[in-house]
Amino acid sequence: MTQSTSGASEDVTLGATPTEQSAVKRNRRLDGLFEHTTRGFALLVLLLLGTIMMSLAISGWPALSEFGWHFFTEDRWAANLDRFGALPAIYGTLVTSGIAIAIAVPVSMGIAIFLTEKCPAALRRPLGTTVELLAGVPSIIYGMWGVEVLAPFLQSHFPTIFPAGTGLATAGLILAVMIIPFITAITRDVMLTVPPMVRESAYGLGCTTWEVTRSVIFPSVKGGLVGGVILGLGRALGETMAVTFVIGNNLFFNPTVTGQGTSIAALIANQFPEADGLQRSALLALGLMLFVITFIVLAIARVMLNRMDRRAPK
């Protein structure tokens, strides 16, 4: 391939003036420099990824070697007793993220469909801008709102379900509110990439808005839709401050949805500044675990997307 490209470049310079030959050689050098630079950027990302994972693995290895598999199954985190069990944090992370995605995905899809298909032209830009502004609100603001408004509201109106106001379900609701703008913005943008002629053709055949959305738009942009959901899930898995405010920070394993608990990010944020020795190593092992969980989620999403691509009609 390189030889054919080089030969083609030499053919171009045949019969050319010295100035043109110099320009061709200069462009060839610039093209090579551009190729090597972009490749270097791509390899830099992989290098950073590997470095982060290796540093977390090395730092967390003392705790992993000390506790073994019990580190993942121990149902209590007690630094004063040197008992470090990751099960409460793992459970809290998965439950809160699951609640957030279960709420945020249908709401986000509905908002995006309304903005692209049914919203009046006069409201489309203001509403779209509002969604983008919500995506930029700092997470600590959501956490303060959850403590001051949402938790008391849930405790006063649903005392049997939310006896303390705070808990895993409250954290899941906060996360849902946080990731709705992200998923909505991405879903709206990818839906707008569908050519208007495709929509008009479907409507001309007598399709309803739901049929156009389900059978025409979504199949065309399913990759972007999955990407938006995964982006929202990634933020839900790693969110720290907002979750720390409302999750209750209970360090005992409690297999409940509405009770208090903790998450990996919240546990690290609460204890890492004062941690040392084995406790610090255990917290870094938790960070490695969160890294692995996020990577597994992304890998599953990619596998699902590849399967959808293979099943799609050619």
Side-chain angles (χ1 to χ4, degrees):
M1 186 68 175
T2 304
Q3 293 178 353
S4 61
T5 304
S6 177
S9 300
E10 293 177 358
D11 292 340
V12 170
T13 59
L14 292 177
T17 64
T19 303
E20 293 172 341
Q21 293 179 2
S22 177
V24 170
K25 292 179 180 179
R26 182 175 65 254
N27 292 336
R28 190 187 308 161
R29 289 194 299 269
L30 291 175
D31 187 59
L33 177 62
F34 177 76
E35 179 182 354
H36 293 306
T37 302
T38 53
R39 182 186 293 115
F41 289 154
L43 294 177
L44 179 62
V45 173
L46 296 178
L47 179 63
L48 289 174
L49 188 68
T51 301
I52 293 172
M53 192 169 189
M54 184 178 299
S55 62
L56 290 174
I58 293 174
S59 300
W61 179 250
L64 294 176
S65 60
E66 175 73 19
F67 300 106
W69 284 106
H70 293 290
F71 180 77
F72 304 99
T73 59
E74 174 65 41
D75 61 356
R76 182 182 180 188
W77 184 284
N80 58 331
L81 301 176
D82 280 342
R83 290 182 61 182
F84 301 107
L87 185 59
I90 297 174
Y91 178 79
T93 300
L94 296 178
V95 168
T96 54
S97 301
I99 293 173
I101 286 296
I103 297 173
V105 169
V107 174
S108 301
M109 296 294 178
I111 297 174
I113 292 171
F114 175 76
L115 290 176
T116 56
E117 303 299 322
K118 304 298 290 185
C119 183
L123 295 178
R124 188 167 297 169
R125 183 178 296 274
L127 290 178
T129 303
T130 302
V131 170
E132 294 172 356
L133 290 176
L134 287 174
V137 174
S139 61
I140 194 170
I141 302 299
Y142 287 106
M144 295 169 64
W145 174 77
V147 170
E148 295 295 328
V149 179
L150 182 61
F153 174 83
L154 295 175
Q155 186 179 20
S156 61
H157 290 77
F158 307 97
T160 57
I161 302 177
F162 301 92
T166 57
L168 297 174
T170 308
L173 290 172
I174 291 292
L175 289 175
V177 174
M178 292 179 62
I179 66 177
I180 281 174
F182 284 90
I183 301 177
T184 300
I186 295 175
T187 303
R188 182 200 61 183
D189 290 342
V190 298
M191 289 177 66
L192 290 175
T193 60
V194 178
M197 185 176 296
V198 176
R199 286 184 173 87
E200 295 171 2
S201 300
Y203 284 123
L205 292 174
C207 295
T208 63
T209 302
W210 166 243
E211 290 172 336
V212 172
T213 303
R214 181 191 61 184
S215 304
V216 177
I217 297 178
F218 278 0
S220 301
V221 297
K222 58 187 175 183
L225 298 179
V226 174
V229 173
I230 294 304
L231 180 62
L233 179 58
R235 179 167 186 183
L237 287 170
E239 179 53 43
T240 304
M241 293 309 301
V243 173
T244 304
F245 273 65
V246 299
I247 200 170
N249 299 303
N250 179 19
L251 302 183
F252 292 85
F253 175 65
N254 185 15
T256 180
V257 175
T258 59
Q260 295 186 335
T262 188
S263 68
I264 295 176
L267 181 57
I268 294 174
N270 284 327
Q271 297 194 4
F272 194 81
E274 295 83 18
D276 60 358
L278 191 61
Q279 181 184 5
R280 189 180 185 89
S281 176
L283 291 172
L284 289 166
L286 278 179
L288 175 64
M289 192 178 309
L290 181 60
F291 187 95
V292 172
I293 291 174
T294 306
F295 183 82
I296 291 174
V297 169
L298 294 176
I300 292 174
R302 174 53 58 183
V303 171
M304 292 173 55
L305 190 59
N306 290 338
R307 288 183 178 179
M308 287 189 297
D309 289 336
R310 287 196 296 267
R311 292 176 182 176
K314 302 300 183 181

